[in-house]
Amino acid sequence: MTNVKSRADCGECRQLLSSVPLFADLPAELMAALTASATCLRAEAGELLFREGEAAEHFLLVRQGCVEMMRFTSEGEERVFHLFRDGQLIAEAAMFMPHGRYPMNARAQCDSAFYRLGRAALRKACESHPPLAMRMLESLSLRLYRQVNEVDWLTASSASQRLAAYLLGLHRRQGDNLSLPISQRQLATHLGIRPESLSRLLSDWQQAGRVRGRLRQWVVCDLPYLQQLASAATRTF
């Protein structure tokens, strides 16, 4: 990775960090302390930013690009848990883990730029400014709640329901023309189904006129069908 730092970078870092809801409207001196040692980094597509098990001394703020959070299954398959894009934080929760290690691998999906901020600075900011600590607790609690719902959904749903819910999530962000952010093999692992089962589902849906496309490019042709399949995943809160 290329390491670049300047005063201009720190100013831009503060501006970008202040656009994250977690850090919005914080005192200027607190933001200055958080970003005083910030470093601007660049990574090429496929480059690992940190590895599972490494000491978690920094969290990241995506300046430009896309970063995958992933693990390898016992069979060696890649499981992508989340994608982070411009203006999003990566691994801020890991700064508070008692074991002090990253729980996943972070990999640049494309040529990316981001800021690296220090664990010690974040912890000190939370200690000195309780409203930030409360925001952090609320954010982590909401993330835990979503993860519980996801596990519940994965264990209770069928393969077709999980695929429908995933495609609907993309549809809300992209519209009818979908571009899968990960490969079909990675998607199958993410959904907890076999790659051949995913391929067969997409083929069946194409024949039935539900979707059309190939590889990573798909078009939703029957939105009500997908909505009906995924309706069990919808919660009231």
Side-chain angles (χ1 to χ4, degrees), residues 166-178:
Y166 182 86
L167 294 182
L168 282 177
L170 286 183
H171 184 269
R172 284 191 290 270
R173 298 188 295 272
Q174 300 179 9
D176 289 340
N177 296 295
L178 307 182

Side-chain angles (χ1 to χ4, degrees), residues 21-31 33-34 96 120-137:
L22 188 64
F23 296 98
D25 304 319
L26 291 181
E29 61 272 17
L30 192 68
M31 294 296 290
L34 274 168
F96 299 91
L122 179 59
R123 293 175 67 97
K124 186 175 181 180
C126 287
E127 291 171 357
S128 64
H129 192 69
L132 174 59
M134 287 301 297
R135 287 185 191 180
M136 185 68 69
L137 282 171

Side-chain angles (χ1 to χ4, degrees), residues 105-122:
N105 305 286
R107 182 176 62 194
Q109 191 182 68
C110 58
D111 291 353
S112 303
F114 52 93
Y115 293 104
R116 187 171 66 180
L117 300 104
R119 172 180 182 270
L122 179 59

Side-chain angles (χ1 to χ4, degrees), residues 153-215:
W153 170 245
L154 286 174
T155 55
S157 59
S158 66
S160 58
Q161 288 175 318
R162 295 198 290 274
L163 178 58
Y166 182 86
L167 294 182
L168 282 177
L170 286 183
H171 184 269
R172 284 191 290 270
R173 298 188 295 272
Q174 300 179 9
D176 289 340
N177 296 295
L178 307 182
S179 179
L180 299 182
I182 53 180
S183 69
Q184 286 194 24
R185 191 170 191 86
Q186 289 173 322
L187 177 57
T189 302
H190 176 73
L191 297 177
I193 59 180
R194 291 182 172 276
E196 54 269 26
S197 298
L198 174 62
S199 179
R200 184 167 56 251
L201 261 176
L202 289 171
S203 177
D204 290 346
W205 286 2
Q206 279 213 88
Q207 292 179 17
R210 313 296 189 190
V211 298
R212 70 172 187 271
R214 62 187 301 272
L215 299 177

